Amino acid sequence: MANIAFLGTGLLGSAFAEAAAKRGDSVTAWNRSIDKAQALSQFGVKAAATPAEAVRTASRVHIVLKDDAVVEEVIAAIRSELSADTILIDHTTTLPALTAERAARLHAAGVKYLHCPVFMGPAAARNAQGSMMAAGPKALFESVQADLAKMTGRLEYMGERADLAAANKLFGNAMIIGLSAVMADVLTLARASDVNGEDAIKLLGLLDLNGMVANRGVNMAKGNFTPSFELAMARKDVRLMLETTGKRPMAALPAIAARMDQLISAGHGAADASVVGIDAVPRP
């Protein structure tokens, strides 16, 4: 049985704490709104009044907070209570540059720190599903690898570079947010076309999105824009989409159309539609 602490019991942090208590760990939790920590008492989680109190006897401290500023504030509040063997595991989505600086500073001071952001919601956290990434010293990761594996369906060690998990978390969230915006536009198109929204979303199942990432995405990363769907033709299709939706609010397609127009004006109309990523890749 491990003695662990969770700092931050929002939707994700509370789910992690609940799951840990159900696994038999001794869990103490802190949250700025103490009622959220106290609500976990039904699972055997002890609520602490301060972050320092929460970590006082913990061998492992999990941070699940809002942003870099709050992470810094809370770490400052607990530093005096961390033993030489306490491992600090930060699940917060943070700025890569600040994550690297924080890790270097803490490691230099002898604090054992790993950055371990996740791709999971509360339900996945309760059931050890979803994905978790880890970045930091390999030996430190290996010392908690078995414990972290109990929290997730997939655990990926990104390497020693402290900001790699932070960067990859932003990559993944960009895809999630971007896909949500495009699906919103699909639903707007469906409504404008008098098509049931659920039927429109089901149609997306005909697309091999994983294949598009593996093929088109890799070609984009290499700067290969050999056409299979010319930008000029894709722009025509976007025009049809925008004409169909009329004055209805759109989340992504108007900005995509504007970018396409820039690239067509610059002479890229015969390239593949994926040339929208041309400025993101190195050029010879």
Side-chain angles (χ1 to χ4, degrees):
M1 181 178 70
N3 189 0
I4 61 179
F6 282 89
L7 306 180
T9 55
L11 294 175
L12 184 62
S14 62
F16 273 142
E18 174 187 334
K22 288 179 176 177
R23 286 193 298 269
D25 292 329
S26 176
V27 181
T28 303
W30 168 85
N31 195 77
R32 200 180 300 274
S33 300
I34 194 169
D35 58 311
K36 291 185 178 180
Q38 291 172 336
L40 295 166
S41 63
Q42 60 182 308
F43 307 110
V45 176
K46 300 182 289 291
T50 66
E53 178 187 334
V55 307
R56 196 156 288 150
T57 60
S59 60
R60 202 167 73 243
V61 176
H62 294 264
I63 297 176
V64 196
L65 298 170
K66 178 184 177 182
D67 56 25
D68 290 279
V70 182
V71 169
E72 290 290 351
E73 177 186 343
V74 170
I75 290 177
I78 66 175
R79 280 291 299 276
S80 63
E81 298 293 339
L82 298 178
S83 74
D85 296 323
T86 304
I87 299 175
L88 196 56
I89 299 171
D90 185 2
H91 302 289
T92 310
T93 299
T94 51
L95 188 70
L98 292 180
T99 305
E101 188 278 330
R102 181 181 308 112
R105 175 167 31 91
L106 291 174
H107 292 157
V111 177
K112 296 179 177 179
Y113 174 84
L114 279 175
H115 189 228
C116 300
V118 302
F119 293 116
M120 63 177 76
R126 290 188 185 92
N127 295 293
Q129 298 170 334
S131 299
M132 180 184 297
M133 299 174 291
K138 186 175 183 181
L140 182 58
F141 167 72
E142 290 176 342
S143 72
V144 293
Q145 183 175 2
D147 296 310
L148 295 178
K150 294 175 183 177
M151 300 173 65
T152 182
R154 180 172 181 174
L155 177 63
E156 292 284 336
Y157 177 59
M158 309 304 293
E160 299 262 350
R161 184 175 146 183
D163 63 343
L164 269 182
N168 279 275
K169 177 59 189 290
L170 295 185
F171 303 160
N173 278 7
M175 179 63 78
I176 292 168
I177 293 165
L179 185 58
S180 296
V182 171
M183 286 194 294
D185 286 356
V186 168
L187 290 170
T188 302
L189 272 166
R191 186 170 184 181
S193 304
D194 195 24
V195 173
N196 180 273
E198 291 185 24
D199 290 340
I201 295 300
K202 284 180 183 177
L203 178 68
L204 300 183
L206 297 178
L207 304 176
D208 182 4
L209 297 179
N210 288 330
M212 290 181 190
V213 172
N215 296 306
R216 187 176 293 267
V218 169
N219 281 336
M220 291 174 69
K222 293 178 177 178
N224 178 5
F225 305 114
T226 302
S228 63
F229 184 16
E230 291 184 356
L231 178 64
M233 291 300 294
R235 177 62 181 92
K236 181 268 295 181
D237 289 354
V238 174
R239 174 178 61 79
L240 298 179
M241 298 169 199
L242 295 177
E243 288 178 358
T244 298
T245 55
K247 294 183 178 180
R248 291 175 172 84
M250 300 288 277
L253 288 174
I256 293 171
R259 178 60 176 147
M260 287 176 158
D261 289 341
Q262 291 175 347
L263 291 167
I264 290 170
S265 294
H268 298 293
D272 191 78
S274 61
V275 76
V276 292
I278 192 170
D279 290 329
V281 296
R283 300 192 194 183

